[in-house]
């Protein structure tokens, strides 16, 4: 039901696949940046990178669901 609403709004599978790949790049960027901060802030920065790293599979599967409607 939610996928059909997203399809009607104009979102396509390519959008979510691109977001998925972009979140991988964002995760890597945050992880590399976490290595440059001081030790007291490093834990939060690494957790932020790991949290962002959880997004790609979800976004990719939403894109696959939209592809079935296209």
């Amino acid at each position: 039901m939610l996928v059909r609403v997203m399809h009607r709004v104009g979102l396509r599978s390519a959008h979510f696949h691109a977001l998925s790949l972009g979140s991988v790049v964002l995760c890597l960027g945050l992880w590399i940046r976490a290595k440059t901060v001081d030790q007291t802030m490093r834990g939060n920065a690494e957790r932020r990178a790991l949290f962002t790293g959880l997004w790609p599979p979800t976004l990719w599967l939403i894109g696959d669901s939209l592809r079935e409607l296209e």
Side-chain angles (χ1 to χ4, degrees), residues 12-43:
R12 299 295 180 246
S13 63
H15 299 143
F16 280 93
H17 290 150
L19 282 173
S20 177
L21 294 175
S23 65
V24 169
V25 172
L26 178 63
C27 175
L28 289 172
L30 288 172
W31 182 72
I32 290 169
R33 184 178 176 274
K35 300 300 178 192
T36 63
V37 296
D38 62 343
Q39 197 64 22
T40 59
M41 298 296 288
R42 186 172 289 179

Side-chain angles (χ1 to χ4, degrees), residues 20 23-24 27 47-60:
S20 177
S23 65
V24 169
C27 175
R47 281 189 287 277
R48 193 174 303 123
L50 289 173
F51 176 72
T52 307
L54 296 174
W55 299 348
T58 304
L59 294 171
W60 193 268

